[in-house]
Each structure stands twice: as C-alpha cells, then as structure tokens.
Amino acid sequence: MKRRRRRILLAAATVAFAAWGASNALAQSVTPFTSEHSARGVIYNMTFAPPLANPQDGYGMACADLDGDGDPDLVLLGRADGLVGIYENNGAGVFTNRSATSGIPATAAGCGVVAFDDDRDGDLDLFIVQKNGPCRLLRHGAPFQFTDIATAAGVDASLPGAGASAVDFDGDGWLDLHVCTYSTVFPNRLYRNLGNGTFVDVAGALGLASTGLSYQSVWSDYDRDTWPDLCVSNDRGFGNLPNQLHRNQGNGTFLDVSSSSGLNVALCSMGIACADLTGDGRSDYYFTNVPDPTPPLNGVNPLMIGSVKGTFTQADALWGVSNLKFSWAAIFWDFDNDTDLDLYVNNETLPNALFRNPGAPPMTDVAAAAGVVGSANLSYASMVGDLDRDGDLDLILNNYGGPVRLLMNQEGQQRKWLRLRIAGEGRVRDAIGASATLRAALPKGKTGAPQWREVLCGGNGYLAQNETMLHFGLGAASTAATIDVRWPAAGPARTLRNLSSNLVWTAYPPSRLGDVDGGGIIDLADWTQFAAWGPGTLVPGREMLDFDGDGDLDGADADGFWAIASVERGDLDGNGSVEAADLSVMLASWAQAGSVADLDLDGSVGASDLALLLAAWGS
C-alpha cells in the first residue's frame, strides 16, 4: 500500500514539475508588447483619481469600426475635463484625433460604452452610461460626428450607472440595450428598441429589474439555442444578490436559471470574461473579485466552466487563475494565436495579469515577460482589437493618472490567424449575437479542435467593448477546413470551407448572397462584376458570391446567382427580354474571359453559354 502511494505521489510530483517546466518555458518565450500610443497619435490622459464627490470605479472605452472602413477606431472616456476621445484609424494603426469636432458633449462621469447600430443604417452609434449623470445615445451622422438623441429616444435617465451591453434579445431585427445600475434602489434597465427611434424599458415586465449592485452584463448563448442569454455581475453578492443568469426562452421572455445552473456565485463581482475557454462549444465565465476572506469563495476570482447540461463547475484553481487580487476587467483572447484562449486581468493596485494558456490547465501569468503589467496607478479597464491589422490582437489599457496606452502585440505574429466578420441582414453591418465554430485543416486530412466564438457587443471585460470581428489563432495551420456560422434568434446557418489563413473574411447570410454592390437587388450590375472576376479561388471581398461556401467561385455559384437574380439568365442588356440584342452581345465577346456573356462562369464565352441563352429565348 505504501509503495502504491509512493508511486502516486511520485507521478503527481512529475506532472507538477512538468507543468512548472512548461509554465516557465512559456514565461520565457513571450515576445514583449510595445507601448506605442504616442507614436500612433493617441494622446489621451486619464484623470488621476476618482472624483471624491462622486466616486467612480473606472471609465469605459470602445474599440469599434465607427466609419465602416474595416479597421477599429477608438472611443475613450476619463479625461478630467470630460472630453470624449474619438480617434480615427487610418488602417495601419495610426490615429487622427476627431474629438474636438465629434459633437459629443463633455461626459465627465462616463462609465460603460457600447458602439452599436441602433437605427440599422449601417454605421455605428454610441451609447454611454454615466455615473449619476444622464445616459447619452449619440446618433452617428457624418463620419465621426454625433448628435445626442437620448432624450427623444427615451434613454436619458440619470442612474448610478456602470456597464452596458447590446443585443437583439427578441429577434425583431433591432438591437436592444441592457444597462447595469450600481444600486439597491434603482433597478437595472433593459431598453427594447422599437425600431422608430425610441426605446422602452421592459426590464420590470421581463423579471430583469434587479437591484443587485450590478457592474457589468454580457449576452451569450450559453445553451446554444441561438437566443442570447443574459449574465449579470453583482457586487457584494454574499449580502445582497449573487450573480445572475437569465435564459432567453425565444418568445420574448426569460427564465431565471441562476440557481439551477450554478452560476449564482456570491462575491464582490465586477468584470466578466466570457468565451469558450475549454473548447467544448459552451460559454465559460470568469468573474473578478476582491481578496476578501468571506466564504464560500474566500476571495478567489471564480472561473465557471459551462457544460452541455447547462450547469457550471468552478475551476479557477485547476486552471491557475484564482488570482486573489483586487480585480476589475477580465478578457478572454488568443493573444499568441496558438488556438487557445488566454486571460488578461486588471488588478486595481497590483500588476495586471496575463494568464497564458498552454492548451491544458494550468495557465501561467506571463504579464511581466510580455510587458503588460500596466502602471502603478489604479487599473480598471482594458480592451482588445487588431489596431494595425497585422493579424494579432493588441491591448488598450487606461490606468488612471496617465495616458491611455496602446500595447502592440508582437507575439501573435509568429503564428497564423484568421479573422471573420459576420454580416447582418439588410444594411446591418455586424450580426451581434451570431457565432462561428472554426476547425483548422491539419495534415493527413485531419482537423483541429473546434474554436467557438460569439459576436459580443459589450461584456467580456468591464465597462469596455472589444472589437466585434471574430479572431481565431490557427497556430501552424494554413487553412480553415470548416467554419460553421450561425446567425442569432433562430437565424440561418452556413458552413464555409477551405478559407486561407492570415486573411480577413466576411460571412454573409443567405439573404445577402449575390448582392455585390449592396444595392439590395440581385441584378445585372451584380452579374457584370461577378463575370468580370470570373472563376477561381475565393479572395476577400467576393464572399457574397460563394453560394455553396466551398472557397471558390465556379459554375455552381453561377447557378446559385441566377436562381435568385431579378433578371433572366441571358438578358445581357437588362431590358427584360432575351432576344437578338443579347445574342449580339454574346457573339461580340465570343471566347473572351470576364465577359457578362459568360453565363456559366467557366472563364470563357462559348457554346455552353449560347445554349443557356437560347434556352431562355423570348422569356
């Protein structure tokens, strides 16, 4: 018996030593981030300390493509004079300051920020929560110019506000807003977007008007039924309300599953990291805490791992992320592009942590080696996005009493990546609440472990919004074998295949396939461009033509186009009839590539195209 126990202890020690060795190697092999805010044109100095008259736990910010040019711009809060920082990205991560001409009123107590398209016009508007000041809904007009319409929209309440998040919770096509209030008197708000420029608070009617000293909320489809569920982080949960999880039942109502799921952890809960850490396709949550000895958590930051049963198990000790520090923001992200999610944590007065994931627990804090510990001043919020479009996620940090820092990622460049924008319906740019599961192509026809990502608008942090484009690290893989995309609220699903790494791709819903120019009608102009591009391997910018999602453009996609086009196949002049004039066009471009007369998209005008035209003659 003693011999057996000795063998077990020796085996355990061997595993522990191996884990330590791997962790030490991880710490030593990180290429440091570089601090480049000044060189990149972002000069925005945070206030030195919270105002004594109205103490505030941090100021928010957003990393979002405000002008729709494909790169993330910046929205920054926290300057002493209340100036909201608006910085335009030139595409290479160099910024122009648009703050003075943005039209945004001074917002000295700005907390949560959400950049979302509230009116479905294709550009992003801003919602800013203030601590005991009026909320602002800033409608985006001319590029980087905003008008506060909060009063007319019905969302201008003055609240002891904190974080906010946006999603279309009821599936009507309009993004709604959840607002956290740090109060035991003022309830949380859920503003339903009525689609006519106004909102109405439905939190009370839906059982979501809690008074739990709420700091941050996040919408995540934890049960994978395509409907976004609501998780709320509550402070002082052991004496007030513990954290909450409300399951969206898909019919405009919610069911409180906090207790039955096990997510009703009671702690001094602030920020939320939300993503699939374990790779099982389920939401996992990490809540920040204070090092308070109050049981049952005793000050740890709980990591709650989801399951197919809809229940959660605490696993922070196993993963080495208990932290035991005064923590605020937390973000899951794959900073090193090795396919596994890592974890960044803001620790108020102690060095921030960057827990690197080696692929299995435990994680190792490599913040010092990576150069991302922050400054000695109070640290509340951070966010991530690919600022310079080089294929890795950069870190934006706003510690008090100093400049907002752009910490540019150098480690992720050593591995391959793929970025995916999931387009919404109609003119909606981003499908908030959509998800994608990527499997990388490995040698011998095998595929990698699934990576599941969601399009979150607020949450996965604290008071801040990360870039909404989905980011996948691919390690050494050069191709995504499959990407299963699912649109929210019982929306459509598509599978994309054979997409190359180190590129930015767009996934379009079926309703937007074929519409090259975005005009809303599949017409001859779209086909003219389709034919000019011709057949071949898919490249970014042409994804709306890959009807079968196989990663190339060919005759099958041409068939898909003509099946939904508003013009007859063969009507080459667009006059509504296939006749002699169309035949003349075809004969004039015989044997040519890229011609509108290449009706089957085989790369040349020939007999097969003539047969298609004649088959439609007179129609």
Side-chain angles (χ1 to χ4, degrees), residues 389-412:
R389 298 203 294 189
D390 64 349
D392 53 33
L393 292 173
D394 307 301
L395 178 67
I396 302 96
L397 181 64
N398 69 349
N399 286 3
Y400 276 11
V404 170
R405 297 175 64 189
L406 308 188
L407 299 172
M408 306 304 292
N409 191 342
Q410 310 299 329
E411 176 66 28

Side-chain angles (χ1 to χ4, degrees), residues 41-51 56 58-61 75-87 97-101 104-111 113 128 130 398-404:
V42 177
I43 309 296
Y44 188 88
N45 291 311
M46 296 284 294
T47 184
F48 183 75
Q56 181 164 336
Y59 295 87
M61 50 186 174
V75 181
L76 307 174
L77 303 179
R79 238 176 65 157
D81 61 0
L83 178 73
V84 176
I86 302 292
Y87 289 85
N97 190 346
R98 303 295 188 195
S99 310
T101 57
I104 301 176
T107 307
C111 293
V113 183
I128 300 177
Q130 292 201 84
N398 69 349
N399 286 3
Y400 276 11
V404 170

